[in-house]
Amino acid sequence: MNDMEAQLERLRTDAEDCALISKLATNPHKRELFARLADHLAVLADEVERAIGERGGKREAQGRRTASMSTSAGQLSE
């Protein structure tokens, strides 16, 4: 999970850098290029963030099932 979070942070930082470069660029072509790149990186970051959330939700659900199974097994042995 830490690798994905590191990637997420890197994508967000790169998107911000590209947006800044776009604002500072004097060449219209480069301004547009870096603006599109910033938008694309922001979308990728959103997708990675969503994937992290989905993985976290699945792990929580698995943990609840395991705890539930342990409780059920304990009740059977009594």
Side-chain angles (χ1 to χ4, degrees), residues 18-37:
C18 286
L20 178 61
I21 292 169
S22 174
K23 290 177 184 175
L24 298 174
T26 57
N27 180 314
H29 177 71
K30 287 185 180 180
R31 184 179 304 136
E32 175 62 26
L33 174 68
F34 279 98
R36 284 188 292 135
L37 185 55

Side-chain angles (χ1 to χ4, degrees), residues 44-60:
L44 291 176
D46 290 343
E47 290 178 11
V48 169
E49 187 172 40
R50 194 171 313 118
I52 290 171
E54 288 174 0
R55 289 184 78 185
K58 288 179 183 177
R59 287 184 180 167
E60 289 175 15

Side-chain angles (χ1 to χ4, degrees), residues 10-25:
R10 178 64 191 256
L11 285 168
R12 296 248 186 251
T13 301
D14 288 349
E16 290 171 7
D17 290 346
C18 286
L20 178 61
I21 292 169
S22 174
K23 290 177 184 175
L24 298 174

Side-chain angles (χ1 to χ4, degrees), residues 1-16:
M1 186 73 87
N2 288 338
D3 291 338
M4 289 180 74
E5 290 171 354
Q7 285 294 83
L8 173 61
E9 184 63 29
R10 178 64 191 256
L11 285 168
R12 296 248 186 251
T13 301
D14 288 349
E16 290 171 7

